[in-house]
Amino acid sequence: MVLAFFYGDNWREEIAPLPTGQIYVDRLREISNTNPVLLIAHAYTRYLGDLSGGQALKRIVRSALKLQTVQGTEFYEFEQLPTVEAKLAFKGWAIWLLKAVGLAHKVVMPPQSTTAPKL
């Protein structure tokens, strides 16, 4: 939806991923076939990051682009987590899951870290 908002309904014909983006997608597909439990680390980074700092980025993007609706920033919307309490509960569950599958030590980063965990 976000790409259609910015590039139109034919966005797949209008734009292509950057080479690094394609490498990232290819790696996620490889992991899903070889060691899917590692996708938990991806989900941790993607969803928890977007539920935290991503919400500030959403406001910055909306302000900078003068967007009046959620269109263009749907990436940062989580309809299944409509309240702050729901978002916090999801974060707690995600951390519990990482610990349960033995990945917490591989993805939990110190606060000064700016790099996502490697898969």
Side-chain angles (χ1 to χ4, degrees):
M1 287 173 69
V2 173
L3 294 175
F5 174 76
F6 288 109
Y7 294 99
D9 291 334
N10 295 324
W11 63 269
R12 284 186 172 91
E13 289 80 40
E14 299 292 325
I15 62 171
L18 295 172
T20 52
Q22 190 60 55
I23 290 168
Y24 183 72
V25 169
D26 292 345
R27 179 69 173 140
L28 288 176
R29 287 184 178 142
E30 176 188 345
I31 290 169
S32 72
N33 291 322
T34 59
N35 199 357
V37 74
L38 292 178
L39 291 176
I40 295 169
H42 170 70
Y44 176 87
T45 302
R46 158 68 174 101
Y47 292 106
L48 272 61
D50 292 338
L51 282 169
S52 299
Q55 298 304 296
L57 292 174
K58 173 179 67 175
R59 289 187 290 277
I60 291 168
V61 168
R62 283 186 184 162
S63 175
L65 298 178
K66 298 180 178 28
L67 300 174
Q68 300 301 313
T69 67
V70 299
Q71 284 188 307
T73 58
E74 292 99 330
F75 185 80
Y76 297 107
E77 298 298 328
F78 297 88
E79 293 175 5
Q80 294 81 8
L81 304 171
T83 65
V84 170
E85 293 79 17
K87 288 175 177 71
L88 289 173
F90 179 80
K91 289 178 184 181
W93 174 81
I95 292 167
W96 172 86
L97 181 60
L98 289 169
K99 290 177 181 177
V101 298
L103 289 177
H105 67 283
K106 294 182 181 181
V107 296
V108 177
M109 300 170 289
Q112 69 274 14
S113 178
T114 58
T115 306
K118 289 193 174 231
L119 298 179

